[in-house]
Amino acid sequence: ETGNSKKSITLRCFATSGLTLVPFLPPCPTFPTCSPYERHVRHTKMAEGSDIGDWFRSIPLITRYWFSLSIALPLLGRIGLVNAMSMILHWDFTVYHFQIWRPVTALFFYPLMPQTGFHYLINLYFLYNYSTRLETGLFDGRPADYLFMLIFQWLCLVIIGFMAELFLLMDPMILAVLYVWCQLNRDMIVSFWFGTQFKAMYLPWVLVGFNMILRGGGWTDLLGIFVGHLYFFLMFKYPQDFGGRSFLSTPEILYRYLPNRRGGVSGFGVPPASRRRPDDNQHQGWGQGNVLGGN
């Protein structure tokens, strides 16, 4: 073969640009004159976009909407498209000015400033991590029951927020969900900053102390722990350990829009075992469409 033929074959197999070795890719239909390196960059960006899309679609349904709105509303307030003051929880504006969206937006909104940016990212991490674990664990295949848990905790925080002048609900809501997961996995070893490890049941209290040190607050986190414990007690502890009636039951309308499904890959969390004696005359159990721990 001639030298030109060898060079042509080499260019068809690989194209070099600086120190980057680029594999041969077919011509770009949109830009047929682009170089092999440009085609490689375009294909790489398409692959990265596909990976992000696959990751986003892999997030469980309820967590996906919660996570997305917790990003969208703070960004809208940060760039000024929506007035940030119109998204906080306020009794007078909600009741007397009929701004009934405030209890909802207060759950997803968080003011983005240099002083709050790091804490906001930490919130997103805990929201995604522990909400996903709950939804794919104990509530796997039961999105209506998981949504009901979130609605119950949200309503409790709205009532407390009106009484205690709590303007933002993101912090306590995330702590409430995290508390439920920690109670369901209380003996699991979790890792925290600086390589520290401890049982999951201590994690909410560690976060309270952590926020007290860094932000000088912590009482909103205590409210989250209170609401999380209230749900856990009414749904699990009181019916199973004390033989009481079940006060919490998922409304049937939620099952119409979010029906239970079978199958799926379970994650973390199991219903707590009952501490009642085996000779109790009431059988404790739970099944599809029934209240956990119900009679």
Side-chain angles (χ1 to χ4, degrees), residues 72-98:
L73 265 64
L75 289 180
L76 290 176
R78 183 66 178 89
I79 63 182
L81 290 180
V82 179
N83 185 2
M85 297 303 296
S86 68
M87 293 187 284
I88 65 174
L89 187 66
H90 196 281
W91 171 263
D92 290 339
F93 287 105
T94 303
V95 177
Y96 299 115
H97 295 270
F98 301 103

Side-chain angles (χ1 to χ4, degrees), residues 30-295:
T30 307
F31 301 95
T33 59
C34 63
S35 66
Y37 179 74
E38 291 173 333
R39 293 199 297 270
H40 170 70
V41 172
R42 293 179 185 275
H43 280 261
T44 302
K45 290 182 178 180
M46 291 175 61
E48 291 176 351
S50 177
D51 292 340
I52 295 176
D54 292 340
W55 166 79
F56 181 76
R57 287 186 292 270
S58 69
I59 303 176
L61 179 65
I62 307 301
T63 302
R64 188 191 315 160
Y65 279 100
W66 186 10
F67 185 77
S68 300
L69 290 172
S70 297
I71 294 177
L73 265 64
L75 289 180
L76 290 176
R78 183 66 178 89
I79 63 182
L81 290 180
V82 179
N83 185 2
M85 297 303 296
S86 68
M87 293 187 284
I88 65 174
L89 187 66
H90 196 281
W91 171 263
D92 290 339
F93 287 105
T94 303
V95 177
Y96 299 115
H97 295 270
F98 301 103
Q99 297 180 2
I100 58 176
W101 63 83
R102 286 179 177 268
V104 178
T105 56
L107 174 63
F108 305 108
F109 174 71
Y110 197 85
L112 294 182
M113 298 179 292
Q115 298 84 357
T116 62
F118 177 74
H119 182 72
Y120 169 71
L121 294 178
I122 294 296
N123 275 347
L124 289 183
Y125 167 77
F126 282 117
L127 187 161
Y128 167 77
N129 195 19
Y130 291 97
S131 180
T132 298
R133 292 185 179 190
L134 264 184
E135 193 172 354
T136 59
L138 176 63
F139 295 96
D140 182 43
R142 300 185 299 120
D145 293 333
Y146 184 62
L147 180 60
F148 173 71
M149 185 197 77
L150 296 181
I151 292 175
F152 172 80
Q153 294 177 339
W154 167 72
L155 288 175
C156 292
L157 288 174
V158 169
I159 296 173
I160 295 175
F162 280 142
M163 294 188 300
E165 294 186 354
L166 182 65
F167 302 122
L168 302 173
L169 303 181
M170 179 181 286
D171 281 347
M173 186 68 179
I174 293 175
L175 255 293
V177 172
L178 182 143
Y179 180 87
V180 173
W181 182 89
C182 289
Q183 291 301 308
L184 295 172
N185 303 270
R186 52 188 302 111
D187 293 325
M188 178 180 292
I189 302 299
V190 297
S191 298
F192 198 62
W193 285 15
F194 312 113
T196 56
Q197 293 183 336
F198 42 82
K199 290 186 177 181
M201 59 181 174
Y202 302 121
L203 179 58
W205 305 104
V206 172
L207 291 177
V208 171
F210 186 76
N211 288 331
M212 284 183 176
I213 294 174
L214 290 187
R215 302 168 56 228
W219 77 277
T220 57
D221 300 327
L222 292 176
L223 291 178
I225 291 177
F226 168 76
V227 171
H229 182 75
L230 180 63
Y231 172 84
F232 184 79
F233 179 81
L234 294 177
M235 181 62 80
F236 300 110
K237 300 294 290 182
Y238 184 68
Q240 294 186 3
D241 291 352
F242 300 100
R245 63 181 294 260
S246 298
F247 291 99
L248 301 181
S249 178
T250 304
E252 192 65 30
I253 189 174
L254 294 181
Y255 289 119
R256 297 178 186 175
Y257 294 98
L258 298 170
N260 291 346
R261 61 174 175 81
R262 297 183 181 274
V265 180
S266 297
F268 300 88
V270 295
S274 175
R275 296 182 181 180
R276 300 180 65 191
R277 295 190 304 272
D279 57 350
D280 288 342
N281 56 5
Q282 297 292 336
H283 174 70
Q284 306 296 329
W286 58 276
Q288 185 176 4
N290 296 326
V291 180
L292 292 179
N295 292 332

